[in-house]
């Protein structure tokens, strides 16, 4: 019978999931199953943690991952324009990856840059005070 996840177990699990995500740009079903066995947890518990955090993905992602903040402060500063500009430039919608694998595009919760709204993360880089022109320039800098 799988054990219930303790706070310490959750921290260990989260570290394993983050490391796997860094290595393979996503967390595979196989990794979830293996991790559940190795930690003595149920697959559904591991899956629950893997899908809870916006910065983790169970789908393979592109080389560069765009995460546009969808929260209210950014919304008030026209984050929808950021979304529309990225859609127009890359031809993909949130949740999609470009056919060449160059970009994945996601919406996320607050990234801690409300004072620079509207903001997005591109991989680990923060870009704030976005305008359509600035977005186009930023995207060009990521091969
Ligand atoms: S609300 Fe957008 S960065 Fe905080």
């Amino acid at each position: 019978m799988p054990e219930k996840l303790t706070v310490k177990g959750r921290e260990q699990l989260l570290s394993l999931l983050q490391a796997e995500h860094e290595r393979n740009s996503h967390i595979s079903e196989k990794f979830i199953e293996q991790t559940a066995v190795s930690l003595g947890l149920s697959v559904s518990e591991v899956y629950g943690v893997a899908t809870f955090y916006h910065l983790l993905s169970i789908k393979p992602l592109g080389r560069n991952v765009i995460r546009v903040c969808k929260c209210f402060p950014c919304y008030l500063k026209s984050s929808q324009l950021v979304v529309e500009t990225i859609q127009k430039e890359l031809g993909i919608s949130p949740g999609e990856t470009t056919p060449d694998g160059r970009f994945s595009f996601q919406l996320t919760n607050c990234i801690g840059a409300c004072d620079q709204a509207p903001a997005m993360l591109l991989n680990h880089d923060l870009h704030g005070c976005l305008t359509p022109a600035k977005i186009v320039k930023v995207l060009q800098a990521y091969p």
Side-chain angles (χ1 to χ4, degrees), residues 80-140:
Q80 189 54 36
L81 187 58
V82 175
V83 171
E84 289 167 8
T85 302
I86 292 169
Q87 286 178 315
K88 185 176 160 216
E89 285 300 310
L90 301 180
I92 57 173
S93 296
E96 296 180 342
T97 297
T98 55
D100 63 1
R102 183 174 164 217
F103 287 106
S104 287
F105 179 21
Q106 300 180 333
L107 300 180
T108 192
N109 288 324
C110 180
I111 54 176
C114 314
D115 61 329
Q116 299 175 57
M120 68 179 186
L121 285 173
L122 214 161
N123 302 331
H124 296 293
D125 306 326
L126 174 67
H127 299 278
C129 304
L130 295 168
T131 63
K134 186 172 178 180
I135 293 164
V136 170
K137 197 171 175 184
V138 166
L139 293 177
Q140 289 170 348

